[in-house]
Amino acid sequence: DAGVTQSPTHLIKTRGQHVTLRCSPISGHKSVSWYQQVLGQGPQFIFQYYEKEERGRGNFPDRFSARQFPNYSSELNVNALLLGDSALYLCASSAVLAPSSYEQYFGPGTRLTVT
Amino acid sequence: AQRVTQPEKLLSVFKGAPVELKCNYSYSGSPELFWYVQYSRQRLQLLLRHISRESIKGFTADLNKGETSFHLKKPFAQEEDSAMYYCALSAPNSNSGYALNFGKGTSLLVTP
């Protein structure tokens, strides 16, 4: 298993555009979480999905949305991009919902640059 | 509100010296605490979690509820320990589910 995979690796967009980031969890994992990591900061929680349902949402504007598909892969969508959305977007998967019992495995991230 | 504070942005120690990376948290209930590590050009990965009470790569961390701390310690640092270390807290709530709340991270540099 290649672990959690994310695409694309890098992305450059212009202010006001829309972007879709993709994540494939480890085989058998049913929970996917998205995090935003701005340079010099720790990852900040955006969304968590389990069994295709949203189970948690961080303090992000409605421009951010996500979904999980029947094969447990996930998409993160960001509309009306702002310069401040430039960051590394991390996806993490786990077998079940609660991180206390099961490890969250992180992907390599997608580096988004908004100009 | 949940908050994780890592007061040191950078910590530099000599090989063989003891190392302690500090982590303080604010949460009124009983959180789950974790240490994640990111080595150069690698993915963020779990180092240890407080409920396991285990030692990984010589690192240990004890949850001190009285001081609301979860400091990471190693008696003898090695050069391969150089990495970015993040303390994280998980406390389920109706809004964020089982999200991990990360500190800003501490960059550990072990020099020969």
Side-chain angles (χ1 to χ4, degrees), chain A residues 33-93:
Chain A
S33 299
W34 287 95
Y35 294 83
Q36 180 195 65
Q37 187 172 22
V38 174
L39 197 62
Q41 303 288 320
Q44 187 174 359
F45 172 71
I46 310 175
F47 285 110
Q48 184 174 60
Y49 279 78
Y50 179 69
E51 287 282 18
K52 293 154 283 185
E53 291 188 7
E54 181 182 303
R55 294 302 189 99
R57 173 185 284 254
N59 189 23
F60 279 80
D62 292 342
R63 299 184 295 108
F64 288 76
S65 63
R67 53 179 175 169
Q68 186 176 33
F69 299 99
N71 66 354
Y72 302 110
S73 67
S74 178
E75 281 183 356
L76 175 70
N77 294 283
V78 187
N79 292 324
L81 285 167
L82 303 174
L83 294 178
D85 295 331
S86 295
L88 181 69
Y89 288 85
L90 296 170
C91 173
S93 78

Side-chain angles (χ1 to χ4, degrees), chain A residues 2-4 35 37 40-43 45 48 55-57 90 97-104 106-108, chain B residues 9 32 34 36 38 43-46 49 51 86 90 93-105:
Chain A
V4 178
Y35 294 83
Q37 187 172 22
Q41 303 288 320
F45 172 71
Q48 184 174 60
R55 294 302 189 99
R57 173 185 284 254
L90 296 170
L97 193 59
S100 58
S101 302
Y102 291 89
E103 181 175 344
Q104 286 203 19
F106 282 82
Chain B
K9 199 169 184 178
E32 304 283 355
F34 307 83
Y36 277 78
Q38 188 166 27
R43 305 177 182 202
L44 193 60
Q45 58 186 285
L46 178 67
R49 70 197 89 187
I51 61 169
Y86 294 96
S90 177
N93 66 57
S94 58
N95 291 328
S96 61
Y98 289 92
L100 287 170
N101 189 352
F102 287 88
K104 292 185 178 181

Side-chain angles (χ1 to χ4, degrees), chain A residues 93-115:
Chain A
S93 78
S94 61
V96 293
L97 193 59
S100 58
S101 302
Y102 291 89
E103 181 175 344
Q104 286 203 19
Y105 293 83
F106 282 82
T110 293
R111 172 72 62 187
L112 172 65
T113 301
V114 182
T115 61

Side-chain angles (χ1 to χ4, degrees), chain B residues 4-19:
Chain B
V4 176
T5 302
Q6 294 180 251
E8 302 134 334
K9 199 169 184 178
L10 173 65
L11 185 63
S12 182
V13 301
F14 289 110
K15 177 183 173 181
V19 61

